[in-house]
Amino acid sequence: YSPTGITDVQTLRTHVFPNPNSGTMSLAFDKKLIGSSFAILDEVGRTVYTGQLNSEQQKLDLPTLASGMYILQARNGKFVTNERILITE
């Protein structure tokens, strides 16, 4: 019995390194997210980049992103994960 209605919570790992960075970064994802889509959102929630997760690690080079805080959001039909990214000059 679960009084909240949540019976199974799974934690998925998502990492960005280095963090902070200047727009060049590596992304590491849980295996369960392979095949999912991901987006990078700016501080007000606008999508500034989208992609597909093809492996557990991917490199991104986004030199045109302005300095600031961003969110890496990966999602598939069951899972959503968010990770903060700090872009510096």
Side-chain angles (χ1 to χ4, degrees):
Y1 171 74
S2 174
T4 63
I6 299 172
T7 56
D8 186 20
V9 176
Q10 296 181 349
T11 302
L12 299 180
R13 295 201 175 277
T14 304
H15 295 288
V16 177
F17 52 94
N19 195 12
N21 64 68
S22 60
T24 300
M25 65 198 92
S26 293
L27 312 176
F29 298 96
D30 191 284
K31 288 180 183 181
K32 292 178 183 176
L33 289 169
I34 294 174
S36 303
S37 60
F38 73 92
I40 295 181
L41 312 173
D42 67 10
E43 292 175 327
V44 295
R46 291 180 296 216
T47 300
V48 297
Y49 184 84
T50 60
Q52 191 75 20
L53 303 176
N54 301 317
S55 65
E56 289 180 65
Q57 284 200 345
Q58 291 183 220
K59 292 191 178 222
L60 278 184
D61 190 19
L62 305 171
T64 59
L65 288 182
S67 295
M69 185 67 68
Y70 293 86
I71 300 291
L72 168 66
Q73 184 177 78
R75 65 173 55 224
N76 66 14
K78 296 181 182 179
F79 307 106
V80 175
T81 182
N82 294 300
E83 181 77 19
R84 290 185 182 135
I85 304 169
L86 180 60
I87 303 292
T88 59
E89 291 184 9

